[in-house]
Amino acid sequence: MKQIFLHGLGQTPASWEKTICKLETAENAVCPSLPELIQGKPATYANLYKAFSSFCEEMGTPVDLCGLSLGGILALNYAEEHPERVNSLVLIGAPYKMPKHILRFQNAVFRFLPSTSFAELGFDKSQFLQLCCSMADLDFTSLLSRISCPVLVLCGQKDLANKNACRKLAQLVQQGHFQSVDRCGHEVNAEAPEALAALLRGFYDGSK
């Protein structure tokens, strides 16, 4: 069974390498590049989600999805739309309803960053801004009850902006479990890869 790992905005597939190498199922791992998925189309959430859905369908069988931030939002969206095609779901620092005040702050930060800061991330500066703006009205609250697979919701201990929403998300899905990851912030895969791998191993063993 394929395990799809989805990076966050501002990350690349390489952000998962230190975590995946610690998993016994590493040979089943797939880490798509989100910028490459949209293949030159406008960088809107709708286009990105459509491309990601097609990517999942190409797997041919139900998949394990694990995503951080933007990657988690895509995974959550796919799981509520295609519950029969998702075997398990891991969401890291991913809101089920977009916090508009955080998006506005994030956009303001992006606008002041030089274009060179985005050079190695796949999306350029204008694409970052376009993508963030297109996500402002996302709200999956009414659809969460459709998700029937085991769900592990993780959040870094220091990720105060997302912790309450992550706890609530774990309560709203049928088989949800929340776990805080000690001594790290939002980018759990980059800041605590070994701890994350241990949590994933336990979760995947329990959801077989």
Side-chain angles (χ1 to χ4, degrees):
M1 184 174 295
K2 289 297 184 183
Q3 296 176 333
I4 302 176
F5 292 84
L6 301 164
H7 61 82
L9 189 61
Q11 292 189 333
T12 69
S15 303
W16 283 108
E17 288 179 357
K18 292 182 179 180
T19 298
I20 291 173
C21 72
K22 301 290 184 181
L23 299 178
E24 296 173 357
T25 55
E27 69 276 5
N28 297 322
V30 181
C31 302
S33 167
L34 299 185
E36 290 179 8
L37 283 182
I38 60 173
Q39 299 179 340
K41 295 179 181 178
T44 64
Y45 179 80
N47 283 340
L48 181 57
Y49 177 69
K50 183 178 180 180
F52 172 63
S53 295
S54 297
F55 179 85
C56 289
E57 289 165 11
E58 290 173 3
M59 298 293 107
T61 59
V63 295
D64 294 314
L65 294 179
C66 177
L68 181 141
S69 197
L70 171 60
I73 293 169
L74 290 167
L76 177 63
N77 197 167
Y78 188 78
E80 55 83 9
E81 193 167 281
H82 303 283
E84 76 287 352
R85 296 184 58 82
V86 180
N87 180 63
S88 70
L89 187 60
V90 180
L91 305 170
I92 309 171
Y96 60 91
K97 179 179 180 180
M98 294 307 298
K100 294 186 178 182
H101 63 290
I102 294 178
L103 273 182
R104 285 195 294 268
F105 174 76
Q106 193 175 49
N107 275 2
V109 171
F110 287 159
R111 289 182 189 281
F112 283 100
L113 289 175
S115 297
T116 53
S117 299
F118 303 84
E120 298 180 358
L121 299 176
F123 290 119
D124 61 28
K125 182 175 181 177
S126 63
Q127 289 174 317
F128 262 75
L129 294 171
Q130 183 179 29
L131 182 55
C132 287
C133 288
S134 71
M135 295 170 63
D137 294 323
L138 293 180
D139 184 352
F140 304 116
T141 307
S142 63
L143 304 172
L144 294 177
S145 61
R146 298 185 61 189
I147 300 174
S148 55
C149 66
V151 181
L152 175 62
V153 183
L154 301 175
C155 189
Q157 182 184 37
K158 299 177 183 178
D159 187 5
L160 302 182
N162 290 294
K163 186 174 289 188
N164 287 339
C166 286
R167 287 185 186 275
K168 184 66 174 177
L169 173 57
Q171 295 170 359
L172 291 173
V173 293
Q174 295 179 37
Q175 297 191 64
H177 174 71
F178 173 80
Q179 178 74 52
S180 178
V181 185
D182 292 341
R183 296 184 295 277
C184 66
H186 184 58
E187 296 188 62
V188 176
N189 56 355
E191 298 176 44
E194 292 189 3
L196 175 56
L199 289 168
L200 293 178
R201 286 195 300 269
F203 177 67
Y204 291 137
D205 286 345
S207 60
K208 287 180 180 177

